Every structure is written in structure tokens, then in C-alpha cells.
Amino acid sequence: MGVFLSRSSGTLFRLRRPALWAVAWLQVANLAFFVADGALQFWVGPTLTLPALLVGCCAGTNYVQTFTAIDRELEPAKRELALSTASAGTPAGILLADLTGLVVQWCLFKA
């Protein structure tokens, strides 16, 4: 739901590069939070969907705003290559995240 909402709002606002980096680091903080929660179980129950919604909002916002920034900031001669590279990098990043998640989950279950 968070990804859908944030991707749909791409035309409503524009983030500059420092804000994009801040959202990316917020995603890293979310990762640390969820790994810690998986290990320590300090937050359980249905209310855990609230930080999960935040993760989706961060991911969707970063996705849309990155492509918008590429379109806005690059000259046409470089834009197509940059958009193609970002388009190819997206599933590669998702695959890497999924594999990392499997390793983290294995480590948590083994402990």
C-alpha cells in the first residue's frame, strides 16, 4: 500500500538530491529496525504494519523521485542511458535485497 501511494504521488512533489539520500538512509534505518525486531521481538502484533507502511512509502518515493530526477537533471543525450541503467538496476537491487533477506532470516532462525 505504501509503495502504491508514494509512486502515485510522484507528480505532486519533487525531492532534491539531498532529500533522496535522506530517504535512502531512512530505508537503511528501517532495515536495522526490522533486523533488530526480528532478533529481539520487542515489537509484535498487527501494529508492526505501521513501520512496514513506512518502508513502502520510502521505497516508492525513492523509486519515483529518482526517475523524475534523472528526467529533470540530465541532458537528452545522456537521459536514455541513465533511465535504462536505472531500470536495469531496480530488479538487480530487488534480487540482492531478497538474497540478503534470506541470509538474514537464516541467521535469525539459527540463533
Side-chain angles (χ1 to χ4, degrees), residues 4-99:
F4 171 73
L5 292 174
S6 57
R7 284 189 181 184
S8 300
S9 65
T11 58
L12 298 177
F13 62 92
R14 305 257 192 244
L15 293 180
R16 300 214 182 273
R17 201 170 297 186
L20 279 175
W21 279 105
V23 173
W25 282 108
L26 183 58
Q27 285 182 282
V28 173
N30 284 328
L31 171 66
F33 166 77
F34 278 108
V35 168
D37 186 50
L40 304 173
Q41 299 285 310
F42 56 83
W43 187 346
V44 294
T47 59
L48 195 56
T49 57
L50 296 174
L53 183 66
L54 176 65
V55 168
C57 287
C58 289
T61 298
N62 241 359
Y63 181 85
V64 154
Q65 295 296 327
T66 298
F67 280 94
T68 304
I70 290 171
D71 186 52
R72 182 180 63 236
E73 294 177 12
L74 290 180
E75 61 192 51
K78 295 180 181 179
R79 187 177 303 147
E80 186 174 350
L81 177 61
L83 288 171
S84 299
T85 303
S87 295
T90 298
I94 291 170
L95 177 63
L96 182 61
D98 288 343
L99 293 174

